[in-house]
Amino acid sequence: MTVQATQQAVSKGGGRSRRTDAPATLSNLIRRPESGSLIATIAIFIFFAIFGGAKFTAQSGTATWLNPAAELGIIAIPVGLLMIAGELDLSVGSVLAASSMTLAIVSGHWGQPIIVGIVVALGLGLVTGFLNGLIVTRTQVPSFVVTLATNFGLAGLALGLTRAITGSTSVALTSESWAKHLFGSYVSGKFEVAIFWWIGVIVVVGWILHVSKYGNWIFAVGGDLVSARATGIPTDRVKIALFMGTAFGASLVGVIQTILYNSAQVANGQAFIFNSIIAVVIGGVLLTGGYGSVFGVIFGTLTFAIVGQGIYYTGWNPDWASLFLGVLLLLAVLMNNTFRRMALSYGPRKKKD
């Protein structure tokens, strides 16, 4: 992407989930980044609604996949933004665990007010994200390497400090009623309050990416970093802020889980590392950056959660669940690539002489 092209992207929103004044025809909708993931979500839901029976579509069945989708989505959406900007964060699992243990130790083991533990836990996430972003932007070391190192380092630090302080790898927490209602309760006895946190994240991040000027910056940084910097975009600050966003999302889930289950464990959270990336990729975001949408990540998260839980309602051997997920991921990537090529080939037609 040239400097001129990047300037046009920043001023007009090019390169993103397209802002266009053209009528929303079927052709335009098909070319959107979330089209493939939407089709996948609908197809997967219908599939398990047929083979899973009434239990899958019942309220209790819906809760079994919507609850984990909410927790995963809180992390996957900021991870999606970071990937649109061309970076990866493999430290979210350890950030979740460390934040969870921090809350349990501060407000459980040490007996401090729950608000103090929550603030310290969320602050730990923000500091970790800031350090990740700072190291990546200052050293130019690939974010894959930096955040992988952070993941192992923070996991070891959390384990060592937890054992030294409490003598155990599991710490109990008794939550205050307001914190329980705000972070760790159930609605109608089945649905986690995390669903509302997920909706809040969707609204905020959706506005940032698809409405505000910062969204243009994110797409420009992921599309062509050199050109984006040449147009005056503060690329380093954008990346640092995005790393802080992914770490904050992981910390928030850590807080939610700790208050929900009244305890924290050092080994918790590692599954979120690749699950969040898988959900984002299914949602149509490119690993190379510069392309994607919040809606796509939402559908990718729902698809991943439905597959992960839906297989238990079919009566099939759950040992094949990983194979099913692997095939789904491959098919989703192939389908998303097809829609991406259609989107990139779309443009104003030249008049014939």
Side-chain angles (χ1 to χ4, degrees):
M1 182 183 290
T2 64
V3 174
Q4 183 180 4
T6 303
Q7 290 174 332
Q8 293 175 349
V10 173
S11 63
K12 298 181 181 179
R16 66 170 58 203
S17 174
R18 296 178 179 272
R19 297 179 190 169
T20 176
D21 296 329
T25 63
L26 179 61
S27 178
N28 289 336
L29 293 175
I30 289 176
R31 293 185 175 96
R32 294 184 62 86
E34 61 271 13
S35 298
S37 56
L38 172 60
I39 293 173
T41 302
I42 295 174
I44 290 297
F45 181 84
I46 293 174
F47 177 86
F48 284 109
I50 294 173
F51 291 96
K55 290 184 178 181
F56 174 77
T57 56
Q59 188 181 59
S60 58
T62 301
T64 60
W65 55 263
L66 191 56
N67 288 335
E71 294 183 2
L72 178 60
I74 293 172
I75 299 177
I77 289 179
V79 166
L81 254 66
L82 185 63
M83 289 174 61
I84 291 173
E87 303 290 351
L88 282 173
D89 190 348
L90 301 182
S91 67
V92 293
S94 290
V95 171
L96 189 157
S99 298
S100 181
M101 293 305 305
T102 298
L103 171 58
I105 290 173
V106 171
S107 298
H109 184 73
W110 288 341
Q112 297 298 311
I114 191 73
I115 186 62
V116 175
I118 293 173
V119 170
V120 175
L122 296 177
L124 173 64
L126 290 174
V127 170
T128 304
F130 175 79
L131 292 176
N132 278 338
L134 187 65
I135 294 172
V136 169
T137 55
R138 293 296 174 85
T139 66
Q140 304 304 314
V141 175
S143 56
F144 176 92
V145 177
V146 172
T147 57
L148 185 61
T150 301
N151 185 66
F152 284 112
L154 191 58
L157 186 63
L159 176 60
L161 289 178
T162 300
R163 281 191 182 275
I165 295 172
T166 68
S168 175
T169 59
S170 179
V171 181
L173 173 70
T174 301
S175 302
E176 298 175 19
S177 59
W178 68 266
K180 198 73 175 177
H181 289 301
L182 187 60
F183 294 99
S185 62
Y186 287 91
V187 180
S188 301
K190 296 181 178 66
F191 298 98
E192 294 180 15
V193 72
I195 295 172
F196 296 101
W197 284 102
W198 184 29
I199 294 173
V201 171
I202 291 171
V203 172
V204 172
V205 176
W207 179 84
I208 291 174
L209 186 64
H210 298 297
V211 178
S212 75
K213 67 177 182 181
Y214 303 104
N216 287 323
W217 291 0
I218 293 170
F219 280 101
V221 169
D224 191 326
L225 180 62
V226 175
S227 297
R229 186 179 292 117
T231 61
I233 295 175
T235 57
D236 289 353
R237 282 190 291 169
V238 169
K239 288 189 177 184
I240 291 173
L242 293 176
F243 276 108
M244 292 176 69
T246 59
F248 183 82
S251 298
L252 178 58
V253 175
V255 168
I256 290 172
Q257 290 188 345
T258 304
I259 296 177
L260 181 66
Y261 302 116
N262 298 311
S263 65
Q265 295 183 349
V266 173
N268 191 30
Q270 292 302 312
F272 283 90
I273 298 174
F274 289 106
N275 288 355
S276 61
I277 294 176
I278 291 172
V280 170
V281 172
I282 293 175
V285 176
L286 296 182
L287 290 171
T288 53
Y291 187 83
S293 73
V294 169
F295 296 106
V297 178
I298 296 170
F299 296 136
T301 302
L302 289 173
T303 301
F304 183 88
I306 291 172
V307 172
Q309 298 297 321
I311 194 169
Y312 296 99
Y313 289 91
T314 62
W316 303 340
N317 188 343
D319 293 342
W320 297 97
S322 294
L323 174 62
F324 200 93
L325 281 171
V327 172
L328 170 67
L329 176 60
L330 180 60
L331 292 176
V333 170
L334 293 174
M335 182 165 56
N336 287 331
N337 281 340
T338 300
F339 284 103
R340 179 177 63 90
R341 286 194 296 269
M342 293 173 63
L344 294 178
S345 65
Y346 174 70
R349 295 180 179 179
K350 295 182 179 180
K351 294 181 179 180
K352 295 183 179 179
D353 295 332

